[in-house]
Amino acid sequence: MFKEGNNRKVHHIIRGTIDSLPFKIIDYQFTIPNGKAQQSLFFTAFIFEIGGNFPHCYLDKKENWYKIKGLSNKLSLPREFEKQFQLWVPSGYEMEALQIFTLDLMSKMLDFKFPYDIELVNQKLIVYVEGIVYGNQNLEKELNTALEIKDIFVPKLEHFKFTPIGDHPSSLAKL
């Protein structure tokens, strides 16, 4: 997501540690073409730094308005999960992604009714909330949601220490 659009800006960085993980909250803005004009898009991102190596994965919630560009390998998932999400993974890393996105993890996410996009990249779990989160109560609510997602993902990500596969890039970026 941080390579999307033009005029990318990061505002209001909050740093700290949560459950012994380095953590940031940022407001992120970029512009995209919208007809003859440009449109600014805003997100609040909750970023958890996690040890180990895992492939770059992007879980796109279908209800969200904005769809990131340049993703090339959509992974098929169980029907109930695929109704709400699309999972993008690098070519050659499908099995590794399925070791992370297991049936129990997908069931927890469906039960939780998680409304945001998630990106796993460069040893980070990033939760994207559309728009800028204003006010202490709203920020606390969204942070608690991000913490619940962290609690679902981190146990899996900490146990898997994937290594690069030959000449396959572990990134979703097109070559």
Side-chain angles (χ1 to χ4, degrees):
M1 176 74 83
F2 291 120
K3 293 183 179 179
E4 291 290 289
N6 300 312
N7 303 321
R8 296 180 284 272
K9 297 177 186 170
V10 173
H11 305 277
H12 306 111
I13 299 173
I14 299 172
R15 299 172 199 255
T17 303
I18 294 181
D19 298 331
S20 74
L21 295 175
F23 171 76
K24 292 180 200 168
I25 302 173
I26 64 167
D27 292 337
Y28 177 59
Q29 170 187 355
F30 61 93
T31 58
I32 58 168
N34 188 5
K36 292 181 180 179
Q38 290 198 2
Q39 179 177 6
S40 290
L41 300 175
F42 300 89
F43 292 87
T44 298
F46 298 88
I47 304 168
F48 302 92
E49 293 185 30
I50 302 166
N53 296 306
F54 40 84
H56 184 181
C57 300
Y58 195 92
L59 186 67
D60 184 17
K61 176 74 173 178
K62 287 184 175 182
E63 289 177 5
N64 293 349
W65 176 85
Y66 184 73
K67 303 297 175 207
I68 67 170
K69 312 291 186 266
L71 303 180
S72 59
N73 192 26
K74 186 179 124 188
L75 189 62
S76 293
L77 299 168
R79 181 169 295 160
E80 287 305 308
F81 195 76
E82 205 162 67
K83 284 180 186 177
Q84 295 184 35
F85 296 98
Q86 291 180 331
L87 179 59
W88 300 90
V89 301
S91 181
Y93 286 88
E94 294 85 354
M95 294 301 293
E96 289 78 4
L98 290 174
Q99 289 177 338
I100 296 168
F101 290 89
T102 59
L103 290 176
D104 67 316
L105 184 139
M106 288 186 273
S107 293
K108 286 178 187 176
M109 291 189 71
L110 288 174
D111 291 344
F112 184 59
K113 297 183 171 120
F114 183 68
Y116 311 124
D117 288 3
I118 296 172
E119 188 168 17
L120 305 175
V121 62
N122 298 331
Q123 299 178 312
K124 292 175 180 64
L125 166 66
I126 306 171
V127 178
Y128 295 103
V129 177
E130 283 185 298
I132 301 297
V133 178
Y134 292 102
N136 290 341
Q137 287 180 327
N138 289 334
L139 185 59
E140 184 176 352
K141 176 185 167 240
E142 300 299 351
L143 174 59
N144 287 333
T145 301
L147 289 170
E148 289 183 52
I149 292 304
K150 173 201 66 79
D151 291 343
I152 292 171
F153 276 87
V154 167
K156 290 214 179 275
L157 296 174
E158 286 182 334
H159 286 93
F160 293 114
K161 308 295 184 198
F162 298 115
T163 57
I165 299 174
D167 61 352
H168 292 281
S170 62
S171 173
L172 290 169
K174 287 186 177 182
L175 298 175

